[in-house]
Amino acid sequence: MFSSYTKQVEGQGMKPTTRTVDSGFAKAAGSIAKFFDAAVGSKLVKLVRLRYLDDAPLCLETTYLPPSFETLIDRDINGSLYATLRQEFHRAPAQGHKTFEVCYASQNEAFLLNVERGQALILITDYVYDTDGRPLHVSKRIQRTDRAKYIEPIG
């Protein structure tokens, strides 16, 4: 089962908070268009949220969703997005894959994450399907490396 950022952080005894930075429509392109089986340039919902850990910025998360989620635009989703998707749309994450790569803070990312421009960060991209096997979302999380710890259970 997929666990939200909120539940993961709370499970470690820390306080997660979220602030919506931007929301609107984006044009599908590249691997995101392919994941949604959408034509390049077609409309997707885009949510940009700044995630905090114990009141300090940890990551900047951009989530792309199908247009059927357009009611999420201009809403402040300050808690778990997964909880909102379950409660309001009856859709839940079930499977997917994640990629990790190094990136470097742009001027805007550095400002929002309170780091130096050009600082090494980690880009975590999630491609997630729902319980019916339909594409649910793609999330790109640009995360500080000095405040992150990755824990994965074995077995």
Side-chain angles (χ1 to χ4, degrees), residues 58-117:
L58 175 67
C59 65
L60 183 64
E61 183 179 75
T62 303
T63 303
Y64 299 91
L65 299 134
S68 57
F69 293 99
E70 71 179 284
T71 58
L72 296 176
I73 294 174
D74 297 326
R75 285 191 37 201
D76 226 358
I77 301 175
N78 290 332
S80 170
L81 177 61
Y82 283 173
T84 300
L85 296 178
R86 282 186 187 99
Q87 293 166 0
E88 295 184 26
F89 298 93
H90 310 289
R91 304 256 319 256
Q95 62 182 359
H97 66 276
K98 187 180 296 269
T99 62
F100 296 84
E101 57 189 290
V102 174
C103 65
Y104 299 93
S106 68
Q107 185 172 348
N108 186 53
E109 293 160 353
F111 173 77
L112 291 170
L113 294 172
N114 195 27
V115 298
E116 295 292 322
R117 183 175 183 197

